[in-house]
Amino acid sequence: MAQVVVNDPVATSQAVITCGNARFTVLTPEMIRVEYSDQAKFEDRATFTIVNRKLDAPQFTKSEDDTYLYITTSNLKLKYRKGTDPRTLPASSANLTIAITGNGVSTVWYPGKPDPLNLKGTCRTLDGLMGDSKRSEMESGLVSRSGWAVIDDSWASPRSDGGRSYALSPNSDMGYPWWTQRADNHAMDTYVLGYGHNYKKALADYTKIAGSIPLPPDYVFGYWYSKYASYSADDYRNIMSDLKANKIPTDVMILDMDWHWNGNAYSQSEGRGGWTGWSWNTNLIPNPKGLLSEMHSQNFKTALNLHPADGINQVESPSYFAAMNSDLGGKYLNGNRDNINWSLDYPDFTKSFFKNIIRDHESEGVDFWWLDWQQYLTSPYTKSLSETFWCNYVFFNEAAKRTGHRPVIFHRWGGLGSHRYQIGFSGDANISYEALAFEPYFTATASNVGYGYWGHDLGGHMFSNEELVNNPNLVLRWIQFGVFTPIFRTHATSDSRIERRIWKFSNFPTILEAVRLRYSLFPYIYTMARKTYDTGVSICRPLYYEYPEVEEAYTYDNEYFFGDDILVAPITEKSDARGITTKDVWLPEGKWWSVSTNELIEGPRLVTMSFTDKQIPYFYRQGALIPNNPADVMNVTERPSQLVLNIISGENGKGSIYEDDGDNPDYSSNYAETMLSQSFDGHVGEYVISPRKGTSKEAPSSRSYKLLIYNTDKPLSAKVDGMQVTFSYNKESKCTAIEVPSASCTKERRIQVEYSTSTGITDVKTGQNKMTYDSASKKFTASFDSQKKQVSWLVSNMAGKLMLANSYSQVSSFSEDISMLMPQVYISKVVADDKTFISKFMKE
């Protein structure tokens, strides 16, 4: 695994070429920084986006003639007209071009070139989400089907919230760098990423220059109970009691806005305060420290919700106001001198604020902070200083000062660079199936900017209509989707009509199954979270990372990978009267174990499957070894003495188990890892658990395992460490179960299973050529037995008139909406490589 990198914004001199008022820094064979300043003032400090440029200089050549400078790497060829501003108006290739070759593309970039094929990143919030209404707001990402993407880090180029990328200058008084003006606010500062379709390498190199995606503490991967309501201390006690009584695993308790005086009569705030507040509402919570202590004693971590933009008010927080006003000598007061304005722009305000307020609450037992809405997108005091980004930056760096803990905050997206502060709060989505249907795409696509830890309001946030607001099926499907997202948190707005106590729903047993599945998956999730830190590739990621040249990997954007070995296709539609949902699932090349239906399906193919409410469409890659917790785990912070290994037989494969102390800030070097593998020799499968490497004081020194080996016939025999053992076999799930007795984790465990067949593979559902028209969805779908290089589709009426035509390349299926056709009989002709399929269908 990668080790921690010390960020240094000054590039190695061998990588830098200066040509008059232009400067070029060759960061990797696929990435070049392009600067231009009329004053020849270049920026060597960190910025909001970029914190490290000290990379090993890649191999490149430099040459020039009377007119041009040339820089050539293995993937890029830069050509610059000396003495000119690379930017032209209108945008053109006259002064600067970069030719990009390799990784599936051959193209040319120039400054200002539009990119309609950019694969997008994310946006600040899902507030008000209706269907996919936020798709148009999503910012450009760092990967594109064009083969290139750019990071425009120029101060003159505003972010989506109007903020600018300031420089960061060392500040010994604060203990971390502080914002400062750029060397030249009018300069061009652009990073050109020419990675072709090698999307994962683009993201890995981005985190080399923009900072790693930190590993959050383990507890954030558990279930968070959250609801905006005027809960009293006794209400919280009752919720904790109900969670325990109903055996619901839970790790985090959120105290939303009513923990402080907020001016709301319903919350007994006595007319004091507003959205911003810092002092406990003692009418609701008379003994805050005692309540937080009770929560900790029951293994809950706690977070308080903040809306900080209105500052510190004398009426709402008299003691905090007095202490800060004394520190600041009356600075930052409003005209009435009864409010200290929110002035996080300035070090003296920030130091006093954290010393007097934040540290006080942390000493009471607050584990982390939820930074909710800020009224101003940019500071009213500092031109174009993003309130969202800066608030996140300061709170995270202040959290890093807490000894013995990893810094973590829960916050809004503030633009590029926000991935360094981990967990995002996506905001107030409408309660609807359509809003749920957008979130799988939104979550996976955020990985294109390294924003790998979106946390959603599972169940939806805002009231829509009576039929949906507490619809058990909708809540269930949202929570089932949440199982396969980074942060597992139910939430809703302050509305008595909306219920988020999951034990109150009629289908609670099925909801509880989903919660328990989440806790079972924790060892796998945590292992993948560590890989995110090491590689820059997020847990949820689009299919096209693995299959960039396959069209379906882009079109089926409601499916995604959850880590390396799980493919998820969440159900986001209402089930029928029988409680069944039919779903088209595209499976890429390879063989995939359908966990819900216990079958191995060979891709690439589009398969139509039916699922009950209890079933979730998720698939293990054949060859995978997925570490799981046992079923009785109640907190992800537990380190059980037995783990379950879900193994999909029939293909050689590898996996691993990552472990650390859960909240240790030195996890970059203080961790342990256990490698897993499976292989086949004739009809014998061998499964190896290697000795643990590294150290973790929280991990048990000895451990037993339960192997659940799927996709097998009934074995003939099984051995553990050379000794014959008994096993059980479930014919329905095609699963062999083997108990591996406890032994030291420093010892290799070797399990051998003899099968009656050559590899243990049973029947495989393979692809077939299929042309169908669905009258309900008004879609024509074609699926093939293998991937086709070229496909054409022609639709004619019975008189022979051509009505529709389309073509596709590198597909194993396609689906088209034909609702525009008039009701009548049509003839479909599909030509797939050397095969032709003609069929009739009736458009009703």
Side-chain angles (χ1 to χ4, degrees):
M1 288 185 174
Q3 297 303 307
V4 66
V5 175
V6 177
N7 291 326
D8 184 344
V10 181
T12 181
S13 59
Q14 295 92 329
V16 179
I17 301 99
T18 302
C19 183
N21 291 337
R23 186 171 76 164
F24 306 95
T25 306
V26 185
L27 293 162
T28 74
E30 301 93 347
M31 184 179 356
I32 294 179
R33 183 189 189 193
V34 179
E35 296 174 275
Y36 181 83
S37 166
D38 286 335
Q39 308 170 56
K41 292 182 178 179
F42 305 115
E43 188 59 74
D44 284 323
R45 295 167 296 184
T47 67
F48 283 6
T49 305
I50 306 299
V51 296
N52 180 54
R53 304 183 191 96
K54 182 74 79 173
L55 307 181
D56 293 337
Q59 287 189 343
F60 67 90
T61 61
K62 170 204 161 189
S63 61
E64 55 186 303
D65 55 30
D66 291 341
T67 307
Y68 292 103
L69 167 72
Y70 305 91
I71 300 172
T72 303
T73 75
S74 57
N75 293 75
L76 307 176
K77 292 183 179 180
L78 181 147
K79 179 182 178 182
Y80 167 62
R81 185 186 298 272
K82 295 188 292 187
T84 66
D85 187 332
R87 301 163 292 187
T88 62
L89 193 65
S92 74
S93 59
N95 295 341
L96 175 69
T97 60
I98 298 180
I100 301 155
T101 57
N103 298 319
V105 302
S106 178
T107 188
V108 175
W109 171 86
Y110 56 83
K113 183 178 182 178
D115 181 17
L117 299 181
N118 189 278
L119 292 165
K120 298 301 178 182
T122 194
C123 63
R124 182 175 181 271
T125 180
L126 294 184
D127 284 356
L129 171 66
M130 300 285 289
D132 67 350
S133 61
K134 294 290 181 175
R135 190 180 291 256
S136 62
E137 296 181 19
M138 292 175 68
E139 302 167 24
S140 292
L142 304 172
V143 298
S144 171
R145 297 187 77 174
S146 299
W148 57 267
V150 296
I151 301 169
D152 188 352
D153 200 32
S154 310
W155 193 89
S157 298
R159 297 171 170 223
S160 62
D161 64 358
R164 311 293 176 115
S165 182
Y166 276 86
L168 291 167
S169 182
N171 187 307
S172 58
D173 195 38
M174 293 304 300
Y176 49 90
W178 202 255
W179 69 267
T180 190
Q181 296 291 336
R182 298 287 288 260
D184 178 1
N185 283 349
H186 302 288
M188 175 186 183
D189 190 0
T190 297
Y191 296 74
V192 181
L193 285 67
Y195 287 83
H197 295 160
N198 192 345
Y199 303 134
K200 291 198 288 187
K201 189 172 190 300
L203 295 169
D205 286 353
Y206 170 67
T207 56
K208 289 177 183 176
I209 64 169
S212 298
I213 305 169
L215 177 63
D218 55 1
Y219 59 81
V220 306
F221 295 103
Y223 172 51
W224 300 21
Y225 181 84
S226 181
K227 173 72 162 68
Y228 178 16
S230 295
Y231 286 143
S232 68
D234 285 341
D235 290 329
Y236 282 112
R237 292 187 182 101
N238 290 335
I239 289 168
M240 290 189 290
S241 177
D242 287 346
L243 287 165
K244 298 292 184 184
N246 287 285
K247 297 182 171 53
I248 302 171
T250 313
D251 278 88
V252 176
M253 185 68 67
I254 297 290
L255 284 69
D256 208 320
M257 204 185 76
D258 291 283
W259 71 269
H260 62 77
W261 306 107
N262 60 27
N264 188 328
Y266 179 69
S267 66
Q268 304 178 46
S269 279
E270 301 174 350
R272 298 159 60 184
W275 279 98
T276 297
W278 309 103
S279 295
W280 288 96
N281 180 345
T282 53
N283 287 339
L284 289 176
I285 304 173
N287 181 8
K289 189 172 182 178
L291 178 63
L292 296 182
S293 178
E294 288 181 52
M295 291 179 173
H296 287 150
S297 70
Q298 297 188 49
N299 295 321
F300 294 101
K301 297 293 185 178
T302 61
L304 303 187
N305 172 284
L306 300 179
H307 293 75
D310 285 338
I312 296 84
N313 185 267
Q314 186 176 29
V315 175
E316 194 276 341
S317 299
S319 61
Y320 290 145
F321 176 89
M324 285 190 63
N325 202 36
S326 175
D327 282 350
L328 298 170
K331 287 177 69 176
Y332 311 118
L333 288 173
N334 67 345
N336 294 330
R337 302 186 67 80
D338 62 356
N339 194 81
I340 302 173
N341 294 327
W342 182 247
S343 305
L344 206 68
D345 310 32
Y346 307 110
D348 56 349
F349 173 94
T350 303
K351 287 186 70 174
S352 180
F353 167 72
F354 276 89
K355 179 188 75 172
N356 289 296
I357 299 180
I358 297 300
R359 302 302 178 213
D360 184 51
H361 286 314
E362 290 172 349
S363 71
E364 294 172 329
V366 176
D367 294 296
F368 65 104
W369 297 96
W370 173 9
L371 302 177
D372 207 333
W373 183 59
Q374 291 87 46
Q375 285 91 323
Y376 305 106
L377 288 178
T378 59
S379 169
Y381 313 115
T382 304
K383 181 181 179 181
S384 301
L385 178 66
S386 168
E387 288 274 20
T388 305
F389 181 89
W390 189 246
C391 196
N392 296 341
Y393 173 85
V394 170
F395 267 82
F396 189 85
N397 278 283
E398 289 290 338
K401 294 179 179 180
R402 301 180 71 181
T403 58
H405 298 284
R406 294 179 201 169
V408 62
I409 58 173
F410 186 37
H411 62 91
R412 305 272 188 167
W413 162 258
L416 285 179
S418 295
H419 68 279
R420 297 190 295 269
Y421 317 122
Q422 300 156 326
I423 303 176
F425 162 54
S426 68
D428 306 346
N430 184 263
I431 297 173
S432 66
Y433 283 99
E434 291 78 14
L436 169 59
F438 180 67
E439 289 191 355
Y441 163 77
F442 181 80
T443 307
T445 303
S447 64
N448 290 343
V449 286
Y451 206 58
Y453 289 105
W454 266 128
H456 303 302
D457 288 6
L458 301 179
H461 184 86
M462 300 175 67
F463 182 86
S464 54
N465 61 61
E466 292 289 349
E467 180 184 354
L468 292 176
V469 69
N470 289 318
N471 183 289
N473 178 262
L474 178 56
V475 171
L476 170 68
R477 290 307 191 189
W478 222 309
I479 289 174
Q480 289 175 335
F481 159 64
V483 170
F484 298 96
T485 63
I487 305 300
F488 188 54
R489 165 185 164 271
T490 53
H491 187 67
T493 191
S494 180
D495 188 325
S496 60
R497 296 170 295 181
I498 304 175
E499 181 62 79
R500 283 297 171 263
R501 292 170 294 179
I502 58 177
W503 55 96
K504 298 288 187 179
F505 287 89
S506 59
N507 58 348
F508 168 64
T510 307
I511 292 175
L512 182 58
E513 286 182 22
V515 178
R516 292 198 172 279
L517 174 60
R518 171 68 175 206
Y519 276 72
S520 294
L521 285 167
F522 171 74
Y524 173 81
I525 293 171
Y526 202 53
T527 299
M528 293 301 124
R530 172 67 198 216
K531 286 193 172 184
T532 294
Y533 168 73
D534 288 326
T535 67
V537 179
S538 301
I539 300 174
C540 295
R541 75 283 293 255
L543 303 182
Y544 49 73
Y545 284 15
E546 300 294 336
Y547 305 94
E549 307 305 333
V550 179
E551 189 63 31
E552 289 94 338
Y554 300 89
T555 56
Y556 288 92
D557 60 12
N558 60 342
E559 303 177 15
Y560 58 92
F561 279 110
F562 189 63
D564 294 340
D565 294 312
I566 301 178
L567 188 151
V568 188
I571 289 178
T572 58
E573 305 85 24
K574 184 179 179 180
S575 59
D576 63 21
R578 302 167 299 155
I580 300 295
T581 304
T582 301
K583 185 175 181 67
D584 288 338
V585 179
W586 180 74
L587 293 171
E589 183 179 1
K591 297 187 178 87
W592 303 88
W593 180 257
S594 172
V595 180
S596 294
T597 60
N598 294 310
E599 58 185 329
L600 191 69
I601 306 174
E602 184 172 5
R605 64 171 300 198
L606 183 68
V607 57
T608 301
M609 305 180 71
S610 296
F611 299 93
T612 67
D613 285 351
K614 290 188 175 185
Q615 293 176 311
I616 308 172
Y618 70 104
F619 305 82
Y620 292 153
R621 189 193 303 272
Q622 187 180 36
L625 301 96
I626 309 287
N628 273 26
N629 274 331
D632 58 352
V633 165
M634 295 298 290
N635 294 95
V636 295
T637 54
E638 296 178 38
R639 298 294 182 264
S641 59
Q642 184 186 62
L643 290 181
V644 177
L645 299 183
N646 287 319
I647 301 171
I648 310 306
S649 183
E651 184 74 38
N652 294 349
K654 293 182 179 180
S656 64
I657 303 168
Y658 169 81
E659 298 174 279
D660 59 28
D661 295 339
D663 198 14
N664 56 311
D666 62 346
Y667 64 86
S668 62
S669 57
N670 186 9
Y671 64 89
E673 189 175 28
T674 302
M675 302 306 297
L676 311 169
S677 67
Q678 66 168 316
S679 60
F680 293 88
D681 183 7
H683 60 283
V684 176
E686 186 169 69
Y687 313 92
V688 179
I689 304 167
S690 297
R692 179 193 289 160
K693 293 183 178 180
T695 58
S696 170
K697 66 177 184 292
E698 295 296 325
S701 59
S702 297
R703 179 171 275 154
S704 63
Y705 295 89
K706 183 175 184 178
L707 271 59
L708 298 177
I709 311 171
Y710 292 92
N711 187 44
T712 73
D713 288 326
K714 185 175 182 179
L716 302 175
S717 64
K719 293 180 180 179
V720 174
D721 299 333
M723 302 293 293
Q724 204 79 30
V725 297
T726 59
F727 59 86
S728 62
Y729 181 74
N730 185 308
K731 185 176 181 180
E732 181 180 355
S733 61
K734 305 168 189 173
C735 177
T736 299
I738 300 173
E739 298 281 353
V740 179
S742 181
S744 170
C745 291
T746 62
K747 177 184 177 182
E748 179 185 83
R749 316 306 302 276
R750 190 172 292 268
I751 299 93
Q752 293 179 319
V753 184
E754 184 178 0
Y755 300 100
S756 58
T757 57
S758 60
T759 62
I761 299 177
T762 59
D763 60 308
V764 179
K765 182 181 287 188
T766 57
Q768 55 183 320
N769 299 310
K770 189 176 181 182
M771 315 295 143
T772 60
Y773 168 66
D774 179 51
S775 59
S777 65
K778 304 293 191 295
K779 287 185 176 181
F780 182 91
T781 300
S783 58
F784 309 109
D785 57 4
S786 61
Q787 185 165 302
K788 304 301 182 183
K789 293 180 180 179
Q790 293 293 330
V791 175
S792 64
W793 179 49
L794 305 175
V795 177
S796 305
N797 62 19
M798 293 301 290
K801 181 180 179 181
L802 183 65
M803 308 300 294
L804 290 174
N806 214 337
S807 61
Y808 318 85
S809 59
Q810 302 296 330
V811 297
S812 58
S813 63
F814 69 82
S815 183
E816 295 285 354
D817 183 354
I818 57 172
S819 57
M820 76 294 293
L821 294 179
M822 296 291 292
Q824 58 179 286
V825 176
Y826 292 93
I827 300 174
S828 165
K829 180 180 179 181
V830 177
V831 180
D833 290 345
D834 57 346
K835 294 184 178 180
T836 300
F837 307 94
I838 298 177
S839 59
K840 292 182 182 180
F841 63 89
M842 174 67 186
K843 168 68 165 49
E844 298 175 352

